[in-house]
Amino acid sequence: IYQRLIKIDPINLDARKHLITLLAQQDQIDDALSQYYDLADLYRQMAESELSRETLTEALKLAQRSKIDPGWSIKILHQIGDIDLARLDWQRGMRVYEQILNLSADDEAARMKMIDLGLRLGREEIIAAHLDEHLQFLVQTKRGRDALVLLEDLARDHPGRQILHARLADAYRAIGRKSDAIAPVS
């Protein structure tokens, strides 16, 4: 009945909440998480970012309790992180992206968000750790060209960051472009 109600009236929040409860009680976790995700999206569309975040947090708790595929937790955490970044809550966002990386160390989007947050917050240790891990991942997966382009873009976008210029110079030396290693990035 609740599913039919939601099809007729997709923004019926009470029906969706009752449906989530019933699905969770019946161990239909994937369906419950999907409904949580849709509810959080509705809240976001209504500019209720805090309610959206709370809904996603409840979904995350359900996903973690039920020991299902960690892909759900990662998907939910990405949404929570996006909300935090949209609200300029960079510290909280950083904690969320750390959680993602603990679940999936090769999550490129989360790694790039951590690098970006480190740059925004001026946290050299975060920039260094996550940039080095990401560069190592790119090189190991035979994407050295992507690593070089990333370094060039970062150095160009953040001209005062010595850590970026040092990594770029090391990359240029490693591929034999010594003149580029000592030239300033333009």
Side-chain angles (χ1 to χ4, degrees):
I1 293 173
Y2 287 126
Q3 288 174 330
R4 279 190 244 145
L5 254 163
I6 291 169
K7 281 185 182 176
I8 294 169
D9 182 12
I11 57 174
N12 186 331
L13 303 177
D14 289 329
R16 194 172 298 272
K17 289 175 188 176
H18 287 296
L19 178 60
I20 291 168
T21 302
L22 288 174
L23 290 170
Q25 288 172 349
Q26 296 175 4
D27 285 330
Q28 294 180 22
I29 306 302
D30 281 331
D31 293 335
L33 291 173
S34 181
Q35 290 298 323
Y36 263 128
Y37 204 78
D38 291 346
L39 179 59
D41 189 47
L42 283 172
Y43 282 133
R44 257 184 126 166
Q45 290 175 25
M46 296 181 331
E48 295 285 351
S49 63
E50 189 57 37
L51 288 174
S52 180
R53 192 179 197 291
E54 288 172 11
T55 301
L56 289 166
T57 301
E58 288 300 315
L60 182 62
K61 289 176 187 174
L62 177 62
Q64 291 170 336
R65 271 194 320 266
S66 58
K67 305 286 189 219
I68 63 166
D69 174 26
W72 264 114
S73 293
I74 293 167
K75 182 177 178 180
I76 293 166
L77 284 166
H78 270 289
Q79 286 298 312
I80 292 171
D82 287 347
I83 290 170
D84 291 341
L85 294 185
R87 293 167 48 184
L88 303 179
D89 192 345
W90 297 338
Q91 294 290 345
R92 200 173 186 187
M94 190 173 288
R95 288 190 298 273
V96 170
Y97 289 109
E98 279 290 344
Q99 283 182 281
I100 294 170
L101 292 171
N102 286 335
L103 292 171
S104 176
D106 60 346
D107 189 308
E108 289 186 56
R111 182 82 55 207
M112 289 306 299
K113 296 280 183 165
M114 287 298 292
I115 293 167
D116 180 58
L117 287 167
L119 289 164
R120 289 174 189 258
L121 294 169
R123 306 266 311 269
E124 296 289 322
E125 73 283 357
I126 290 172
I127 300 167
H130 290 287
L131 182 59
D132 290 346
E133 285 182 41
H134 191 59
L135 293 173
Q136 183 179 5
F137 171 76
L138 290 174
V139 170
Q140 287 174 347
T141 57
K142 308 222 183 305
R143 294 170 49 202
R145 178 75 183 131
D146 292 343
L148 185 61
V149 168
L150 171 65
L151 284 169
E152 289 172 338
D153 290 345
L154 286 172
R156 188 174 18 270
D157 294 344
H158 305 277
R161 299 290 182 168
Q162 183 59 34
I163 195 166
L164 300 174
H165 295 285
R167 299 295 190 287
L168 181 58
D170 290 343
Y172 282 146
R173 276 193 294 279
I175 61 172
R177 290 174 52 184
K178 291 185 176 150
S179 61
D180 289 329
I182 57 175
V185 177
S186 56

